[in-house]
Amino acid sequence: MELNSQPRPFSIKLWPPSQNTRQTLVERMTNNLTTKSLFTQKYGTLDKEEAEENAKRIEDVAFTTANLHYEKEPDGDGGSAVQLYAKECSKLLLDVLKRGPSKEDNNELVTSVNTTAPLESVFDISKGKRDFIEADEAQELLNPLKQLGNSFTKICFSNRSFGVGAAQVAEPILSSLKGQLKEVDLSDFIAGRAEAEALDVMKIFSTALEGSVLKSLNLSENALGEKGVRAFGALLKSQKCLEELYLMNDGISQEAAQAVCELIPFTEKLKVLHFHNNMTGDEGALAIAEVVKRSPLLENFRCSSTRIGAEGGVALCDALGNCTHMKKLDLRDNMLGVEGGLSLSKALTKHAELREVYLSYLNLEDDGSISIVGALKESAPHLEVLEMSGNDITAVAAPAIAACITGKQFLSKLNLSENELKDEGANLISKALEGLVQLKEVDLSFNQLTRAGAQQLAVTVVQKADFKLLNINGNFISNEGIDELMNIFKKSPDTLDRLDENDPYGEDNGEESDEEGGADELESKMKNLVVD
Protein backbone atom coordinates (compact mmCIF):
# COMPACT_ATOMS: atom_id res chain seq x y z
CA MET A 1 0.00 0.00 0.00
CA GLU A 2 1.05 3.63 -0.44
CA LEU A 3 2.90 5.15 2.50
CA ASN A 4 1.00 8.00 4.07
CA SER A 5 4.26 9.77 4.81
CA GLN A 6 5.02 10.50 1.19
CA PRO A 7 5.35 14.23 0.40
CA ARG A 8 2.69 16.17 -1.39
CA PRO A 9 3.14 15.88 -5.16
CA PHE A 10 4.44 19.11 -6.62
CA SER A 11 4.40 18.52 -10.35
CA ILE A 12 2.87 21.10 -12.64
CA LYS A 13 -0.17 19.65 -14.43
CA LEU A 14 -0.63 20.85 -18.01
CA TRP A 15 -3.83 18.81 -18.42
CA PRO A 16 -6.75 19.28 -18.40
CA PRO A 17 -7.01 22.77 -19.90
CA SER A 18 -9.29 25.27 -18.21
CA GLN A 19 -12.76 25.96 -19.59
CA ASN A 20 -11.56 29.42 -20.55
CA THR A 21 -8.69 27.90 -22.55
CA ARG A 22 -11.05 25.55 -24.35
CA GLN A 23 -13.44 28.39 -25.21
CA THR A 24 -10.56 30.53 -26.48
CA LEU A 25 -9.52 27.70 -28.80
CA VAL A 26 -13.09 27.41 -30.14
CA GLU A 27 -13.10 31.13 -30.87
CA ARG A 28 -9.75 30.91 -32.62
CA MET A 29 -10.88 28.02 -34.82
CA THR A 30 -14.12 29.84 -35.62
CA ASN A 31 -12.04 32.79 -36.76
CA ASN A 32 -9.86 30.51 -38.91
CA LEU A 33 -12.96 29.15 -40.64
CA THR A 34 -14.50 32.56 -41.34
CA THR A 35 -11.58 34.80 -42.33
CA LYS A 36 -9.41 34.88 -45.44
CA SER A 37 -6.28 32.72 -45.48
CA LEU A 38 -4.42 30.49 -47.91
CA PHE A 39 -6.78 27.63 -47.07
CA THR A 40 -10.03 29.56 -47.18
CA GLN A 41 -9.03 31.19 -50.46
CA LYS A 42 -8.65 27.69 -51.88
CA TYR A 43 -11.61 25.96 -50.23
CA GLY A 44 -13.91 28.81 -49.21
CA THR A 45 -14.97 30.38 -45.90
CA LEU A 46 -17.88 29.32 -43.68
CA ASP A 47 -20.50 31.58 -42.23
CA LYS A 48 -20.07 32.33 -38.57
CA GLU A 49 -22.85 30.08 -37.29
CA GLU A 50 -21.64 27.07 -39.26
CA ALA A 51 -18.00 27.76 -38.33
CA GLU A 52 -18.76 28.05 -34.62
CA GLU A 53 -20.75 24.81 -34.62
CA ASN A 54 -17.91 22.98 -36.32
CA ALA A 55 -15.31 24.54 -34.02
CA LYS A 56 -17.19 23.42 -30.91
CA ARG A 57 -17.50 19.87 -32.18
CA ILE A 58 -13.83 19.72 -33.24
CA GLU A 59 -12.69 20.93 -29.83
CA ASP A 60 -14.96 18.46 -28.03
CA VAL A 61 -13.70 15.51 -30.10
CA ALA A 62 -10.05 16.54 -29.66
CA PHE A 63 -10.50 17.03 -25.92
CA THR A 64 -12.09 13.59 -25.49
CA THR A 65 -9.32 11.91 -27.47
CA ALA A 66 -6.54 13.68 -25.54
CA ASN A 67 -8.23 13.02 -22.20
CA LEU A 68 -8.39 9.29 -22.90
CA HIS A 69 -4.68 9.40 -23.72
CA TYR A 70 -3.94 11.28 -20.47
CA GLU A 71 -5.86 8.79 -18.32
CA LYS A 72 -3.46 6.02 -19.39
CA GLU A 73 -0.54 8.02 -17.94
CA PRO A 74 -2.04 9.82 -14.90
CA ASP A 75 1.34 10.40 -13.32
CA GLY A 76 2.56 12.46 -16.27
CA ASP A 77 2.40 16.25 -16.42
CA GLY A 78 -0.09 16.18 -19.30
CA GLY A 79 2.35 17.49 -21.90
CA SER A 80 1.72 14.67 -24.35
CA ALA A 81 -2.05 15.11 -23.95
CA VAL A 82 -1.72 18.81 -24.78
CA GLN A 83 0.27 17.96 -27.91
CA LEU A 84 -2.33 15.39 -28.99
CA TYR A 85 -5.13 17.89 -28.28
CA ALA A 86 -3.51 20.48 -30.55
CA LYS A 87 -2.73 17.91 -33.24
CA GLU A 88 -6.30 16.58 -33.34
CA CYS A 89 -7.76 20.09 -33.49
CA SER A 90 -5.47 20.98 -36.41
CA LYS A 91 -6.29 17.79 -38.30
CA LEU A 92 -10.06 18.11 -37.89
CA LEU A 93 -9.99 21.82 -38.69
CA LEU A 94 -8.19 21.03 -41.95
CA ASP A 95 -10.85 18.42 -42.77
CA VAL A 96 -13.59 21.01 -42.39
CA LEU A 97 -11.65 23.58 -44.44
CA LYS A 98 -11.09 21.11 -47.28
CA ARG A 99 -14.77 20.21 -47.36
CA GLY A 100 -15.67 23.88 -47.59
CA PRO A 101 -19.05 25.51 -46.86
CA SER A 102 -21.87 23.06 -46.40
CA LYS A 103 -24.86 23.25 -48.72
CA GLU A 104 -26.84 21.10 -46.31
CA ASP A 105 -28.06 21.92 -42.88
CA ASN A 106 -25.68 22.20 -39.93
CA ASN A 107 -26.72 18.90 -38.37
CA GLU A 108 -25.50 16.99 -41.40
CA LEU A 109 -22.23 18.91 -41.36
CA VAL A 110 -21.58 18.20 -37.71
CA THR A 111 -22.27 14.52 -38.23
CA SER A 112 -19.74 14.49 -41.05
CA VAL A 113 -17.07 16.01 -38.83
CA ASN A 114 -17.80 13.50 -36.09
CA THR A 115 -17.45 10.48 -38.37
CA THR A 116 -13.92 11.52 -39.33
CA ALA A 117 -12.85 11.87 -35.68
CA PRO A 118 -11.01 9.33 -33.52
CA LEU A 119 -13.95 9.46 -31.08
CA GLU A 120 -15.83 7.06 -33.34
CA SER A 121 -13.29 4.34 -32.56
CA VAL A 122 -13.83 4.56 -28.78
CA PHE A 123 -16.83 3.21 -26.86
CA ASP A 124 -16.56 4.49 -23.30
CA ILE A 125 -19.17 4.16 -20.54
CA SER A 126 -16.83 5.08 -17.69
CA LYS A 127 -17.99 8.69 -17.48
CA GLY A 128 -21.51 7.74 -16.44
CA LYS A 129 -22.86 7.40 -12.93
CA ARG A 130 -20.94 4.85 -10.87
CA ASP A 131 -23.48 2.11 -10.26
CA PHE A 132 -24.43 -1.54 -10.71
CA ILE A 133 -25.41 -2.64 -14.21
CA GLU A 134 -27.85 -5.48 -14.73
CA ALA A 135 -29.21 -7.11 -17.87
CA ASP A 136 -31.90 -4.55 -18.85
CA GLU A 137 -29.61 -1.57 -18.59
CA ALA A 138 -26.80 -3.43 -20.35
CA GLN A 139 -29.09 -4.03 -23.35
CA GLU A 140 -29.62 -0.31 -23.78
CA LEU A 141 -26.13 0.79 -22.76
CA LEU A 142 -24.28 -1.53 -25.15
CA ASN A 143 -26.63 -1.00 -28.09
CA PRO A 144 -24.12 1.10 -30.12
CA LEU A 145 -21.76 -1.89 -30.13
CA LYS A 146 -24.42 -3.93 -31.94
CA GLN A 147 -24.78 -1.52 -34.85
CA LEU A 148 -23.60 -3.01 -38.14
CA GLY A 149 -20.56 -1.30 -39.58
CA ASN A 150 -19.47 0.37 -36.33
CA SER A 151 -15.77 1.16 -36.17
CA PHE A 152 -15.09 0.77 -32.46
CA THR A 153 -11.57 -0.46 -31.78
CA LYS A 154 -11.47 0.44 -28.08
CA ILE A 155 -13.99 -0.29 -25.33
CA CYS A 156 -13.86 1.06 -21.80
CA PHE A 157 -16.20 -0.46 -19.21
CA SER A 158 -14.40 1.03 -16.22
CA ASN A 159 -16.27 2.54 -13.26
CA ARG A 160 -19.45 0.50 -13.87
CA SER A 161 -20.13 -2.72 -11.95
CA PHE A 162 -21.32 -5.60 -14.14
CA GLY A 163 -23.45 -8.41 -12.72
CA VAL A 164 -23.80 -11.84 -14.29
CA GLY A 165 -26.92 -10.82 -16.23
CA ALA A 166 -25.20 -7.79 -17.71
CA ALA A 167 -22.12 -9.89 -18.54
CA GLN A 168 -24.30 -12.40 -20.37
CA VAL A 169 -25.75 -9.57 -22.43
CA ALA A 170 -22.25 -8.32 -23.22
CA GLU A 171 -20.85 -11.77 -24.15
CA PRO A 172 -22.27 -12.19 -27.69
CA ILE A 173 -21.71 -8.50 -28.45
CA LEU A 174 -18.03 -8.68 -27.51
CA SER A 175 -17.60 -11.96 -29.34
CA SER A 176 -18.87 -10.29 -32.52
CA LEU A 177 -16.24 -7.55 -32.16
CA LYS A 178 -13.22 -9.81 -31.78
CA GLY A 179 -11.96 -9.04 -35.23
CA GLN A 180 -11.81 -5.26 -34.70
CA LEU A 181 -11.04 -4.61 -31.03
CA LYS A 182 -7.50 -3.41 -30.26
CA GLU A 183 -7.88 -1.93 -26.77
CA VAL A 184 -9.97 -3.25 -23.88
CA ASP A 185 -10.32 -1.50 -20.52
CA LEU A 186 -12.05 -3.62 -17.89
CA SER A 187 -10.59 -1.81 -14.90
CA ASP A 188 -12.86 -1.48 -11.86
CA PHE A 189 -15.82 -3.19 -13.54
CA ILE A 190 -16.95 -5.59 -10.75
CA ALA A 191 -16.87 -3.30 -7.72
CA GLY A 192 -19.14 -4.32 -4.86
CA ARG A 193 -19.94 -7.76 -6.26
CA ALA A 194 -19.68 -10.90 -4.16
CA GLU A 195 -16.61 -12.96 -4.98
CA ALA A 196 -18.52 -15.80 -6.67
CA GLU A 197 -20.45 -13.45 -8.92
CA ALA A 198 -17.36 -11.38 -9.71
CA LEU A 199 -15.46 -14.50 -10.77
CA ASP A 200 -18.34 -15.58 -12.99
CA VAL A 201 -18.43 -12.16 -14.63
CA MET A 202 -14.71 -12.24 -15.29
CA LYS A 203 -14.94 -15.71 -16.85
CA ILE A 204 -17.78 -14.59 -19.13
CA PHE A 205 -15.80 -11.59 -20.36
CA SER A 206 -12.67 -13.71 -20.73
CA THR A 207 -14.47 -16.26 -22.90
CA ALA A 208 -16.13 -13.54 -24.98
CA LEU A 209 -12.81 -11.85 -25.76
CA GLU A 210 -10.68 -14.98 -26.11
CA GLY A 211 -8.85 -14.96 -29.40
CA SER A 212 -9.10 -11.21 -29.99
CA VAL A 213 -5.88 -9.57 -31.15
CA LEU A 214 -5.43 -6.83 -28.56
CA LYS A 215 -2.68 -4.29 -28.25
CA SER A 216 -3.79 -2.99 -24.85
CA LEU A 217 -5.55 -4.71 -21.92
CA ASN A 218 -6.38 -3.03 -18.61
CA LEU A 219 -7.58 -5.24 -15.74
CA SER A 220 -6.65 -2.86 -12.91
CA GLU A 221 -8.69 -2.06 -9.79
CA ASN A 222 -10.46 -5.43 -9.67
CA ALA A 223 -9.05 -7.11 -6.54
CA LEU A 224 -8.21 -10.08 -8.73
CA GLY A 225 -6.00 -12.19 -6.50
CA GLU A 226 -5.01 -15.57 -7.92
CA LYS A 227 -8.64 -16.59 -8.56
CA GLY A 228 -9.30 -13.46 -10.55
CA VAL A 229 -6.15 -13.82 -12.63
CA ARG A 230 -7.09 -17.40 -13.48
CA ALA A 231 -10.66 -16.34 -14.28
CA PHE A 232 -9.14 -14.28 -17.10
CA GLY A 233 -6.92 -17.20 -18.13
CA ALA A 234 -8.58 -17.87 -21.50
CA LEU A 235 -8.20 -14.25 -22.57
CA LEU A 236 -4.65 -13.86 -21.26
CA LYS A 237 -3.37 -17.06 -22.85
CA SER A 238 -4.76 -16.10 -26.25
CA GLN A 239 -2.95 -12.76 -26.50
CA LYS A 240 0.06 -12.99 -28.79
CA CYS A 241 0.38 -9.34 -29.85
CA LEU A 242 -0.17 -7.53 -26.54
CA GLU A 243 1.80 -4.29 -26.23
CA GLU A 244 0.29 -2.86 -23.03
CA LEU A 245 -0.86 -4.65 -19.86
CA TYR A 246 -2.17 -2.90 -16.75
CA LEU A 247 -2.59 -4.86 -13.49
CA MET A 248 -2.62 -2.07 -10.90
CA ASN A 249 -4.20 -2.31 -7.46
CA ASP A 250 -5.36 -5.88 -8.06
CA GLY A 251 -4.38 -7.54 -4.77
CA ILE A 252 -1.83 -9.65 -6.62
CA SER A 253 0.01 -11.83 -4.10
CA GLN A 254 2.83 -14.29 -4.65
CA GLU A 255 0.42 -16.92 -6.01
CA ALA A 256 -1.35 -14.44 -8.24
CA ALA A 257 1.95 -13.18 -9.62
CA GLN A 258 2.92 -16.76 -10.43
CA ALA A 259 -0.42 -17.15 -12.23
CA VAL A 260 0.32 -13.99 -14.26
CA CYS A 261 3.68 -15.46 -15.26
CA GLU A 262 2.03 -18.74 -16.24
CA LEU A 263 -0.95 -17.31 -18.13
CA ILE A 264 0.87 -14.69 -20.22
CA PRO A 265 3.26 -16.74 -22.32
CA PHE A 266 3.51 -14.26 -25.19
CA THR A 267 5.30 -11.08 -24.13
CA GLU A 268 7.70 -10.56 -27.02
CA LYS A 269 5.82 -7.42 -28.14
CA LEU A 270 5.03 -6.05 -24.66
CA LYS A 271 6.06 -2.40 -24.32
CA VAL A 272 4.09 -1.26 -21.25
CA LEU A 273 3.65 -3.22 -18.02
CA HIS A 274 2.11 -1.47 -15.01
CA PHE A 275 1.99 -3.43 -11.77
CA HIS A 276 1.48 -0.68 -9.18
CA ASN A 277 0.09 -1.16 -5.63
CA ASN A 278 -0.03 -4.92 -5.23
CA MET A 279 1.09 -7.23 -2.41
CA THR A 280 3.55 -9.17 -4.49
CA GLY A 281 6.49 -9.43 -2.06
CA ASP A 282 9.82 -11.07 -2.83
CA GLU A 283 8.45 -14.41 -4.01
CA GLY A 284 5.97 -12.73 -6.30
CA ALA A 285 8.72 -10.48 -7.62
CA LEU A 286 10.56 -13.56 -8.83
CA ALA A 287 7.55 -14.41 -11.00
CA ILE A 288 7.22 -10.86 -12.33
CA ALA A 289 10.95 -10.90 -13.07
CA GLU A 290 10.33 -13.85 -15.38
CA VAL A 291 7.70 -11.86 -17.27
CA VAL A 292 10.10 -8.93 -17.56
CA LYS A 293 12.91 -11.20 -18.71
CA ARG A 294 10.68 -12.39 -21.58
CA SER A 295 9.83 -8.81 -22.61
CA PRO A 296 12.82 -7.46 -24.53
CA LEU A 297 10.85 -4.55 -26.04
CA LEU A 298 9.61 -3.22 -22.68
CA GLU A 299 9.70 0.59 -22.64
CA ASN A 300 7.50 1.56 -19.70
CA PHE A 301 7.65 -0.52 -16.51
CA ARG A 302 5.87 0.42 -13.29
CA CYS A 303 6.26 -1.85 -10.28
CA SER A 304 5.74 0.59 -7.42
CA SER A 305 4.29 -0.11 -3.94
CA THR A 306 4.48 -3.88 -4.27
CA ARG A 307 6.22 -4.84 -0.98
CA ILE A 308 9.33 -6.08 -2.76
CA GLY A 309 12.47 -6.43 -0.65
CA ALA A 310 16.13 -7.00 -1.48
CA GLU A 311 15.84 -10.60 -2.72
CA GLY A 312 12.96 -9.97 -5.11
CA GLY A 313 14.42 -6.59 -6.00
CA VAL A 314 17.72 -8.07 -7.10
CA ALA A 315 15.96 -10.63 -9.31
CA LEU A 316 13.72 -7.97 -10.82
CA CYS A 317 16.60 -5.59 -11.49
CA ASP A 318 18.65 -8.35 -13.06
CA ALA A 319 15.73 -9.04 -15.42
CA LEU A 320 15.50 -5.36 -16.31
CA GLY A 321 18.95 -5.68 -17.81
CA ASN A 322 17.31 -7.45 -20.76
CA CYS A 323 15.05 -4.47 -21.49
CA THR A 324 17.43 -2.28 -23.45
CA HIS A 325 14.63 -0.10 -24.86
CA MET A 326 13.43 1.12 -21.46
CA LYS A 327 12.25 4.74 -21.46
CA LYS A 328 10.26 5.04 -18.24
CA LEU A 329 11.06 3.09 -15.07
CA ASP A 330 9.07 3.38 -11.82
CA LEU A 331 10.05 1.22 -8.83
CA ARG A 332 8.95 3.60 -6.06
CA ASP A 333 7.98 2.55 -2.56
CA ASN A 334 9.68 -0.83 -2.24
CA MET A 335 12.49 -1.93 0.06
CA LEU A 336 15.22 -2.82 -2.41
CA GLY A 337 17.94 -1.55 -0.10
CA VAL A 338 21.59 -1.07 -1.00
CA GLU A 339 21.86 -4.54 -2.51
CA GLY A 340 18.90 -3.90 -4.81
CA GLY A 341 20.37 -0.53 -5.74
CA LEU A 342 23.66 -2.10 -6.76
CA SER A 343 21.82 -4.64 -8.92
CA LEU A 344 19.69 -1.91 -10.49
CA SER A 345 22.77 0.13 -11.38
CA LYS A 346 24.02 -2.74 -13.54
CA ALA A 347 20.74 -2.79 -15.48
CA LEU A 348 20.75 0.98 -15.92
CA THR A 349 24.03 0.88 -17.80
CA LYS A 350 22.11 -0.86 -20.60
CA HIS A 351 19.21 1.64 -20.67
CA ALA A 352 20.50 4.21 -23.13
CA GLU A 353 16.97 5.35 -24.05
CA LEU A 354 15.79 6.20 -20.52
CA ARG A 355 13.75 9.38 -20.19
CA GLU A 356 12.11 9.07 -16.75
CA VAL A 357 13.40 7.31 -13.62
CA TYR A 358 11.34 7.11 -10.41
CA LEU A 359 13.33 5.54 -7.57
CA SER A 360 11.90 7.15 -4.44
CA TYR A 361 11.50 5.34 -1.10
CA LEU A 362 13.68 2.34 -1.94
CA ASN A 363 16.00 2.53 1.11
CA LEU A 364 19.00 2.96 -1.20
CA GLU A 365 21.14 4.96 1.23
CA ASP A 366 24.36 6.57 0.00
CA ASP A 367 26.01 3.46 -1.42
CA GLY A 368 23.02 2.37 -3.49
CA SER A 369 22.35 5.91 -4.67
CA ILE A 370 25.96 6.54 -5.67
CA SER A 371 25.99 3.34 -7.69
CA ILE A 372 22.74 4.25 -9.49
CA VAL A 373 23.66 7.82 -10.42
CA GLY A 374 27.07 6.59 -11.49
CA ALA A 375 25.37 4.25 -13.95
CA LEU A 376 23.00 6.98 -15.14
CA LYS A 377 25.93 9.30 -15.71
CA GLU A 378 27.35 6.92 -18.29
CA SER A 379 23.99 6.10 -19.91
CA ALA A 380 20.61 7.81 -20.45
CA PRO A 381 21.85 10.93 -22.30
CA HIS A 382 18.25 12.13 -22.79
CA LEU A 383 17.14 11.77 -19.16
CA GLU A 384 14.27 14.16 -18.38
CA VAL A 385 13.04 13.12 -14.91
CA LEU A 386 15.01 11.83 -11.93
CA GLU A 387 13.26 11.13 -8.62
CA MET A 388 15.16 9.69 -5.66
CA SER A 389 13.34 11.10 -2.64
CA GLY A 390 13.21 9.37 0.75
CA ASN A 391 16.37 7.27 0.35
CA ASP A 392 18.47 8.45 3.33
CA ILE A 393 20.86 10.19 0.95
CA THR A 394 23.42 12.46 2.65
CA ALA A 395 25.99 14.95 1.41
CA VAL A 396 28.35 11.99 0.92
CA ALA A 397 26.43 11.07 -2.25
CA ALA A 398 26.05 14.67 -3.45
CA PRO A 399 29.26 14.77 -5.58
CA ALA A 400 28.12 11.66 -7.49
CA ILE A 401 24.61 13.08 -7.99
CA ALA A 402 26.06 16.40 -9.17
CA ALA A 403 28.42 14.64 -11.59
CA CYS A 404 25.47 12.69 -13.01
CA ILE A 405 23.10 15.58 -13.62
CA THR A 406 25.70 18.06 -14.88
CA GLY A 407 25.65 16.48 -18.31
CA LYS A 408 21.88 15.85 -18.52
CA GLN A 409 20.93 18.70 -20.80
CA PHE A 410 17.34 17.44 -21.18
CA LEU A 411 16.67 17.18 -17.43
CA SER A 412 13.43 19.00 -16.61
CA LYS A 413 12.52 17.58 -13.19
CA LEU A 414 14.69 16.65 -10.19
CA ASN A 415 13.20 15.34 -6.94
CA LEU A 416 15.56 14.62 -4.02
CA SER A 417 13.12 15.45 -1.22
CA GLU A 418 13.11 13.79 2.21
CA ASN A 419 16.84 13.11 2.32
CA GLU A 420 19.68 14.58 4.41
CA LEU A 421 21.69 16.53 1.87
CA LYS A 422 22.00 19.66 4.03
CA ASP A 423 23.65 22.81 2.67
CA GLU A 424 26.81 20.99 1.66
CA GLY A 425 24.99 18.63 -0.64
CA ALA A 426 22.52 21.24 -1.88
CA ASN A 427 25.31 23.61 -2.91
CA LEU A 428 26.98 20.93 -5.03
CA ILE A 429 23.69 20.10 -6.70
CA SER A 430 22.92 23.80 -7.27
CA LYS A 431 26.22 24.17 -9.07
CA ALA A 432 25.42 21.17 -11.28
CA LEU A 433 22.04 22.67 -12.21
CA GLU A 434 23.44 25.93 -13.52
CA GLY A 435 23.87 24.84 -17.12
CA LEU A 436 20.60 22.92 -17.47
CA VAL A 437 18.44 25.18 -19.63
CA GLN A 438 15.41 22.85 -19.79
CA LEU A 439 15.06 22.48 -16.03
CA LYS A 440 11.52 23.22 -14.82
CA GLU A 441 11.04 21.63 -11.39
CA VAL A 442 13.32 20.99 -8.42
CA ASP A 443 12.32 19.49 -5.07
CA LEU A 444 14.78 19.56 -2.18
CA SER A 445 12.16 19.80 0.54
CA PHE A 446 12.87 18.20 3.91
CA ASN A 447 16.65 18.09 3.46
CA GLN A 448 17.78 20.10 6.52
CA LEU A 449 18.75 23.09 4.37
CA THR A 450 19.45 26.41 6.06
CA ARG A 451 19.40 29.95 4.74
CA ALA A 452 22.59 29.72 2.66
CA GLY A 453 21.75 26.43 0.97
CA ALA A 454 18.25 27.59 0.12
CA GLN A 455 19.51 30.90 -1.29
CA GLN A 456 22.12 29.23 -3.46
CA LEU A 457 19.48 26.93 -4.95
CA ALA A 458 16.98 29.76 -5.42
CA VAL A 459 19.44 32.02 -7.22
CA THR A 460 20.40 29.14 -9.54
CA VAL A 461 16.89 28.24 -10.67
CA VAL A 462 15.13 31.62 -10.72
CA GLN A 463 17.22 32.79 -13.65
CA LYS A 464 16.03 29.95 -15.92
CA ALA A 465 13.55 31.18 -18.49
CA ASP A 466 11.10 28.26 -18.34
CA PHE A 467 11.46 27.28 -14.69
CA LYS A 468 8.13 26.40 -13.03
CA LEU A 469 8.52 25.34 -9.41
CA LEU A 470 11.09 25.13 -6.59
CA ASN A 471 10.04 23.20 -3.49
CA ILE A 472 12.27 23.78 -0.46
CA ASN A 473 9.56 23.44 2.17
CA GLY A 474 10.21 21.59 5.43
CA ASN A 475 13.78 22.85 5.89
CA PHE A 476 15.55 24.99 8.53
CA ILE A 477 15.53 28.40 6.86
CA SER A 478 15.64 31.42 9.14
CA ASN A 479 12.96 34.10 8.99
CA GLU A 480 15.49 36.44 7.37
CA GLY A 481 16.22 33.75 4.82
CA ILE A 482 12.51 33.43 4.01
CA ASP A 483 12.34 37.17 3.36
CA GLU A 484 15.33 36.92 1.04
CA LEU A 485 13.73 34.05 -0.86
CA MET A 486 10.56 36.05 -1.33
CA ASN A 487 12.63 38.88 -2.76
CA ILE A 488 14.52 36.56 -5.12
CA PHE A 489 11.21 35.29 -6.49
CA LYS A 490 9.59 38.72 -6.48
CA LYS A 491 8.97 38.67 -10.23
CA SER A 492 7.70 35.08 -10.27
CA PRO A 493 6.19 34.34 -6.85
CA ASP A 494 4.30 31.27 -8.09
CA THR A 495 7.61 29.63 -8.95
CA LEU A 496 8.44 29.22 -5.24
CA ASP A 497 6.31 26.58 -3.56
CA ARG A 498 4.79 27.21 -0.14
CA LEU A 499 7.01 27.26 2.95
CA ASP A 500 4.41 26.50 5.60
CA GLU A 501 6.34 23.54 7.03
CA ASN A 502 9.68 25.30 7.28
CA ASP A 503 11.21 25.33 10.79
CA PRO A 504 13.39 28.43 11.29
CA TYR A 505 14.62 27.04 14.62
CA GLY A 506 15.38 23.53 13.45
CA GLU A 507 19.14 24.14 13.38
CA ASP A 508 21.49 26.11 15.52
CA ASN A 509 21.21 29.77 14.52
CA GLY A 510 24.96 30.02 14.19
CA GLU A 511 24.47 29.01 10.58
CA GLU A 512 26.21 32.14 9.26
CA SER A 513 29.51 31.10 10.81
CA ASP A 514 29.37 27.77 9.00
CA GLU A 515 28.43 29.34 5.71
CA GLU A 516 30.99 32.12 5.33
CA GLY A 517 32.97 30.08 2.83
CA GLY A 518 30.16 30.27 0.26
CA ALA A 519 28.95 33.76 1.12
CA ASP A 520 31.15 35.59 -1.36
CA GLU A 521 30.02 33.46 -4.30
CA LEU A 522 26.36 33.81 -3.33
CA GLU A 523 26.69 37.57 -2.86
CA SER A 524 28.29 37.84 -6.28
CA LYS A 525 25.37 36.03 -7.92
CA MET A 526 22.85 38.11 -6.01
CA LYS A 527 24.36 41.32 -7.41
CA ASN A 528 23.81 40.06 -10.94
CA LEU A 529 20.18 39.17 -10.27
CA VAL A 530 17.59 41.79 -11.17
CA VAL A 531 14.74 41.77 -8.64
CA ASP A 532 13.06 45.16 -9.02
Side-chain angles (χ1 to χ4, degrees), residues 62-167:
F63 176 84
T64 302
T65 303
N67 200 49
L68 287 169
H69 169 83
Y70 175 71
E71 289 175 354
K72 294 177 65 174
E73 290 290 343
D75 289 337
D77 63 1
S80 61
V82 171
Q83 291 177 359
L84 181 59
Y85 180 53
K87 180 180 178 181
E88 291 297 320
C89 282
S90 297
K91 183 175 72 173
L92 296 174
L93 184 66
L94 185 58
D95 287 343
V96 172
L97 283 167
K98 286 182 176 180
R99 188 170 53 251
S102 174
K103 296 180 181 180
E104 308 295 337
D105 60 60
N106 285 345
N107 288 332
E108 290 182 5
L109 179 65
V110 171
T111 301
S112 178
V113 173
N114 199 30
T115 57
T116 67
L119 181 63
E120 285 298 303
S121 67
V122 179
F123 179 78
D124 185 358
I125 62 172
S126 66
K127 302 300 187 294
K129 181 182 178 183
R130 183 180 175 86
D131 57 9
F132 287 82
I133 297 177
E134 305 303 340
D136 290 344
E137 184 179 359
Q139 288 282 6
E140 180 179 353
L141 196 61
L142 305 183
N143 189 59
L145 294 175
K146 296 186 288 184
Q147 303 302 311
L148 292 177
N150 77 75
S151 58
F152 295 118
T153 59
K154 175 178 179 177
I155 57 171
C156 180
F157 289 175
S158 181
N159 198 43
R160 313 294 289 274
S161 181
F162 279 75
V164 170

Side-chain angles (χ1 to χ4, degrees), residues 247-248 252 273-278 280 288 302-304 306:
L247 296 168
M248 298 184 288
I252 295 183
L273 176 59
H274 281 200
F275 205 71
H276 166 70
N277 198 25
N278 286 297
T280 312
I288 300 304
R302 184 180 186 188
C303 194
S304 48
T306 50

Side-chain angles (χ1 to χ4, degrees), residues 41-278:
Q41 284 178 352
K42 182 176 181 180
Y43 299 114
T45 58
L46 280 64
D47 64 52
K48 186 172 182 181
E49 183 180 357
E50 183 180 5
E52 186 175 10
E53 190 67 33
N54 275 281
K56 287 179 180 178
R57 181 55 60 100
I58 289 170
E59 190 281 334
D60 185 65
V61 168
F63 176 84
T64 302
T65 303
N67 200 49
L68 287 169
H69 169 83
Y70 175 71
E71 289 175 354
K72 294 177 65 174
E73 290 290 343
D75 289 337
D77 63 1
S80 61
V82 171
Q83 291 177 359
L84 181 59
Y85 180 53
K87 180 180 178 181
E88 291 297 320
C89 282
S90 297
K91 183 175 72 173
L92 296 174
L93 184 66
L94 185 58
D95 287 343
V96 172
L97 283 167
K98 286 182 176 180
R99 188 170 53 251
S102 174
K103 296 180 181 180
E104 308 295 337
D105 60 60
N106 285 345
N107 288 332
E108 290 182 5
L109 179 65
V110 171
T111 301
S112 178
V113 173
N114 199 30
T115 57
T116 67
L119 181 63
E120 285 298 303
S121 67
V122 179
F123 179 78
D124 185 358
I125 62 172
S126 66
K127 302 300 187 294
K129 181 182 178 183
R130 183 180 175 86
D131 57 9
F132 287 82
I133 297 177
E134 305 303 340
D136 290 344
E137 184 179 359
Q139 288 282 6
E140 180 179 353
L141 196 61
L142 305 183
N143 189 59
L145 294 175
K146 296 186 288 184
Q147 303 302 311
L148 292 177
N150 77 75
S151 58
F152 295 118
T153 59
K154 175 178 179 177
I155 57 171
C156 180
F157 289 175
S158 181
N159 198 43
R160 313 294 289 274
S161 181
F162 279 75
V164 170
Q168 289 171 338
V169 169
E171 183 175 14
I173 299 174
L174 296 179
S175 293
S176 70
L177 297 175
K178 283 183 182 181
Q180 67 189 64
L181 287 178
K182 300 299 179 185
E183 300 180 59
V184 171
D185 185 346
L186 300 178
S187 60
D188 191 23
F189 85 124
I190 51 167
R193 301 290 179 177
E195 180 182 283
E197 182 179 21
L199 290 172
D200 285 342
V201 169
M202 287 187 275
K203 289 175 183 176
I204 292 171
F205 273 83
S206 177
T207 300
L209 293 167
E210 181 182 4
S212 54
V213 185
L214 301 180
K215 289 186 176 180
S216 178
L217 177 61
N218 190 344
L219 301 177
S220 301
E221 309 288 340
N222 283 314
L224 296 178
E226 182 185 7
K227 293 180 181 178
V229 172
R230 295 196 179 279
F232 276 113
L235 172 60
L236 294 172
K237 282 183 177 180
S238 69
Q239 298 307 303
K240 298 183 179 181
C241 298
L242 205 59
E243 296 180 9
E244 300 179 10
L245 178 61
Y246 302 89
L247 296 168
M248 298 184 288
N249 196 25
D250 274 330
I252 295 183
S253 60
Q254 169 191 336
E255 294 78 13
Q258 291 169 345
V260 169
C261 182
E262 170 194 336
L263 296 171
I264 309 179
F266 304 104
T267 57
E268 293 83 0
K269 297 185 179 181
L270 199 63
K271 294 181 180 180
V272 179
L273 176 59
H274 281 200
F275 205 71
H276 166 70
N277 198 25
N278 286 297

